[in-house]
Amino acid sequence: MLMNLLGGKALPASELARAARVTPQTASSHLAKMVEGGLLVHESYGRHKYYRLASAEVGQALEALNAIAPPKPVRSLRESDQSKALHFARTCYDHIAGEVGVALTDRMLALGIISEDTRDFVVTTGGAKWLRNFGIDLDEIRCGRRHFARQCLDWSERRHHMAGALGAAVTSRLFDMGWIDRIPGGRAIRVTEQGFRGLSREFGITFGDDWKQAE
């Protein structure tokens, strides 16, 4: 149930029960315990309750746990395709993860847009100007209470991608520009043809022809 919420959406208890393959009564019991434990929050709409992760930090903890969890066995071509898509690009709560997320973070470091500072990333002076030109309002996202730019261990790449308010803002900007969009039914992300061109032009990131052909 937690993994199904890692994409950042709020989902009804009935859908989470189906995902976990348990009865609605069993799901309700587990969901109540996770709300009490601070992992989830819920909102009621009429007779239905919608659940979501309590914070970005919960999402980062789940991503880190995935890094040490044994691989899930792949039993069908559909599961193989889903796994491949998740490894390539996915949402980790509200920021981009997977091969694309790690590559984007690596290039931002190489270009001097950000630098590492213990467990966080910081924006350089030149990087602040670059991000503003890219359409990121740094003043606005710095006003929030959450971490500005946290290093988040990527479970599939075993390296860090960028989380926090800045990671979310960059991801939101990529959605707004049409460089990425969501694959229905999960948290996998598709890079559009425009996105491949933009990532190459702005960041110098290129990927294999297999992904472009799949577009």
Side-chain angles (χ1 to χ4, degrees):
M1 289 190 283
L2 289 170
M3 290 303 300
N4 273 265
L5 293 168
L6 193 51
K9 293 183 178 179
L11 297 175
S14 57
E15 186 171 335
L16 293 170
R18 285 194 298 271
R21 298 179 182 178
V22 297
T23 66
Q25 293 79 9
T26 299
S28 178
S29 174
H30 284 295
L31 289 167
K33 291 176 181 177
M34 287 189 283
V35 170
E36 184 179 357
L39 296 176
L40 301 178
V41 294
H42 67 80
E43 298 175 355
S44 296
Y45 292 93
R47 297 172 56 190
H48 301 284
K49 287 184 178 180
Y50 284 74
Y51 294 83
R52 59 180 173 82
L53 299 185
S55 66
E57 286 72 23
V58 175
Q60 291 169 33
L62 290 172
E63 189 81 358
L65 286 172
N66 265 328
I68 61 173
K72 181 182 178 182
V74 176
R75 298 186 174 91
S76 68
L77 178 60
R78 180 182 178 184
E79 288 186 359
S80 176
D81 290 342
Q82 290 173 339
S83 176
K84 183 180 178 182
L86 283 172
H87 278 68
F88 183 61
R90 63 183 181 273
T91 49
C92 174
Y93 192 62
D94 58 2
H95 56 272
I96 192 167
E99 183 181 345
V100 175
V102 170
L104 186 60
T105 300
D106 285 349
R107 286 303 297 160
M108 291 177 73
L109 286 166
L111 293 170
I113 299 170
I114 58 174
S115 61
E116 294 180 292
D117 181 17
T118 59
R119 296 176 58 192
D120 295 328
F121 295 111
V122 295
V123 176
T124 65
T125 301
K129 180 179 179 180
W130 192 98
L131 288 166
R132 289 190 176 95
N133 290 336
F134 192 63
I136 305 295
D137 189 337
L138 291 175
D139 294 331
E140 179 180 348
I141 62 177
R142 280 194 173 110
C143 291
R145 299 177 60 183
R146 64 184 295 188
H147 280 99
F148 177 69
R150 176 59 65 88
Q151 295 182 14
C152 184
L153 181 61
D154 194 290
W155 63 261
S156 58
E157 296 296 303
R158 299 298 197 272
R159 292 159 61 201
H160 291 112
H161 59 249
M162 183 168 61
L166 181 58
V170 170
T171 303
S172 178
R173 181 62 178 148
L174 296 179
F175 276 119
D176 290 343
M177 293 190 299
W179 288 17
I180 58 175
D181 58 27
R182 298 183 187 277
I183 297 176
R187 60 192 183 99
I189 289 175
R190 180 179 69 93
V191 179
T192 65
E193 195 62 43
Q194 181 181 354
F196 281 118
R197 292 195 299 268
L199 290 171
S200 176
R201 181 182 65 251
E202 298 293 339
F203 297 96
I205 299 173
T206 58
F207 298 98
D209 291 337
D210 288 347
W211 286 110
K212 295 181 182 180
Q213 291 171 358
E215 297 299 308

